[in-house]
Amino acid sequence: YDENVYAYYLSSIKKWKKWEADFGFRTEYTYSKGVSPTIDSTVERSYLNVFPNISLKRILSEKLDLSFSYTRRIDRPGYWKLNPFEYQRSEFSYFNGNPFLKPQIADAITAGLGIKSAVFFTLGFTNTSQAMTEVKYQRENEQDIIETTINLDNIYNLNLNGVIPIPITKWWMFNFNSTVFYNKQVSRFEYGNIDNSLWSYSLNMQQIFTLPKKFKVELSGYYNSGVFWNTFYVEPHYQLDVAVSKEVGRFSFNLSFQDFLGIRESFGYNQQDDFRLDYYYAWETRQVRLNIGYLIGNSKVKSARKRKSASQDAQGRAK
């Protein structure tokens, strides 16, 4: 599988009085060629995409600011999803690659309100076209299930997010993050129909306790309501973690106990017309981890800005 991506970037940043603006766009031309000598198949593809980026910020006062942004993003399929072979996952299930899978494009609009550069509320809408979706079907007269990835119609997402830090005392900090969102997808395809729409929400909290001798204790957790992700419905699930950290000179120590109550588990199902597959999934639970870090070099030097390179993106797609 050979793939070449040629990109051109242009951006401009402007500040005046109480306004800040960031305009830019990226143009990409992609050419790919997949060859399978085993099944004598060659798939060539080329496409041109333009990705604009607009960001505006208005400072209303010392405590308030408004922001608006529009972005277009591309998500290319992992190379293993393009492999036109069938491989076995379990006694009764197989995965089949799709060499004709196209990348999905997401257009996102976001409006935000910031208070004292600490409290943030955002309202966003995302339209994902050519949505890459995993679908399943059962072969006739056989007791096995085939899973593959195809491009379906649009997925619509409306979301409202709030980030609220609450300093209770000098030694107790409470951070709260909540998201309410609506997902909708309607598609018809060879193996069935999808008509899913649901309001869902997610609650996240973090409590940090600063103790004597520079010890810190962190209690964090989340609760996710029932949600549709493409063809999958996931029932509500939750988790609690606890951690203790301390810095000694250039050393930093962090001892964490993830899901210490052993409550992280997930139930759900995949529904396509008269085909339904129920599942239960439990993560590795009650993990204890000790992380030790040591700072090398001059701590007063400003760290370099972290960027995601094209090679990192390709490595992630290659798994």
Side-chain angles (χ1 to χ4, degrees):
Y1 188 85
D2 293 322
E3 182 181 68
N4 294 317
V5 179
Y6 305 91
Y8 173 78
Y9 304 83
L10 179 65
S11 63
S12 176
I13 300 176
K14 178 69 175 179
K15 294 183 180 181
W16 66 98
K17 294 183 179 180
K18 295 185 178 182
W19 286 91
E20 296 180 10
D22 186 347
F23 301 94
F25 73 88
R26 185 177 81 257
T27 303
E28 286 188 359
Y29 171 74
T30 304
Y31 170 79
S32 63
K33 182 178 182 180
V35 179
S36 174
T38 307
I39 61 176
D40 191 23
S41 172
T42 299
V43 178
E44 290 188 79
R45 176 167 293 152
S46 63
Y47 48 90
L48 179 70
N49 294 106
V50 178
F51 303 96
N53 176 72
I54 302 172
S55 178
L56 296 173
K57 184 177 180 180
R58 166 69 175 178
I59 300 176
L60 301 177
S61 66
E62 294 182 356
K63 298 181 179 180
L64 292 176
D65 62 75
L66 289 174
S67 62
F68 169 84
S69 67
Y70 164 72
T71 59
R72 168 173 285 190
R73 303 183 302 273
I74 186 171
D75 184 14
R76 295 182 173 87
Y79 298 116
W80 62 277
K81 291 184 178 181
L82 300 170
N83 192 336
F85 295 107
E86 181 181 290
Y87 68 88
Q88 191 167 4
R89 282 184 165 176
S90 68
E91 184 179 359
F92 301 106
S93 64
Y94 297 81
F95 180 86
N96 200 358
N98 179 7
F100 302 101
L101 189 62
K102 300 177 183 178
Q104 64 182 26
I105 306 293
D107 293 278
I109 299 175
T110 304
L113 172 66
I115 304 173
K116 295 183 178 180
S117 297
V119 179
F120 299 95
F121 297 97
T122 58
L123 176 64
F125 173 78
T126 302
N127 175 25
T128 303
S129 58
Q130 299 181 164
M132 293 186 294
T133 306
E134 292 185 356
V135 297
K136 302 177 186 290
Y137 63 94
Q138 189 170 9
R139 284 190 282 208
E140 294 183 5
N141 303 321
E142 296 188 40
Q143 297 296 321
D144 57 16
I145 295 172
I146 306 299
E147 179 179 322
T148 188
T149 306
I150 63 175
N151 295 105
L152 295 184
D153 296 334
N154 295 20
I155 297 179
Y156 304 100
N157 171 270
L158 179 66
N159 60 85
L160 174 64
N161 179 257
V163 177
I164 306 174
I166 305 174
I168 299 178
T169 66
K170 291 183 178 181
W171 51 269
W172 184 1
M173 184 68 180
F174 180 80
N175 295 315
F176 179 74
N177 183 354
S178 176
T179 302
V180 179
F181 57 96
Y182 174 77
N183 286 341
K184 180 177 179 61
Q185 181 179 26
V186 179
S187 293
R188 292 176 173 83
F189 55 102
E190 181 181 358
Y191 312 117
N193 299 321
I194 297 176
D195 188 358
N196 298 328
S197 60
L198 183 68
W199 282 97
S200 306
Y201 64 91
S202 175
L203 305 176
N204 298 269
M205 72 87 182
Q206 178 193 47
Q207 300 189 66
I208 302 175
F209 305 91
T210 303
L211 305 181
K213 297 184 178 182
K214 297 183 178 181
F215 277 98
K216 287 186 178 181
V217 177
E218 177 182 326
L219 178 66
S220 59
Y222 70 84
Y223 176 88
N224 293 333
S225 70
V227 59
F228 269 112
W229 294 116
N230 298 333
T231 62
F232 292 91
Y233 174 75
V234 182
E235 293 187 356
H237 53 283
Y238 38 84
Q239 178 177 324
L240 282 174
D241 305 322
V242 65
V244 179
S245 61
K246 179 178 174 59
E247 294 185 0
V248 181
R250 288 177 172 263
F251 282 95
S252 61
F253 302 88
N254 183 279
L255 179 64
S256 62
F257 191 2
Q258 297 180 332
D259 191 25
F260 61 92
L261 296 179
I263 57 177
R264 185 183 180 185
E265 58 183 4
S266 178
F267 296 86
Y269 61 84
N270 172 264
Q271 182 75 53
Q272 297 167 202
D273 289 346
D274 57 351
F275 173 87
R276 173 169 170 140
L277 179 65
D278 293 88
Y279 74 89
Y280 165 77
Y281 187 77
W283 289 262
E284 292 183 345
T285 184
R286 294 183 175 177
Q287 295 183 358
V288 178
R289 298 183 179 181
L290 175 62
N291 296 321
I292 302 175
Y294 181 77
L295 180 62
I296 299 175
N298 191 341
S299 61
K300 296 181 180 180
V301 176
K302 184 179 180 180
S303 60
R305 180 182 175 185
K306 295 183 178 179
R307 295 179 176 88
K308 185 177 181 181
S309 65
S311 60
Q312 288 175 315
D313 178 68
Q315 186 179 30
R317 292 170 61 201
K319 298 291 183 180

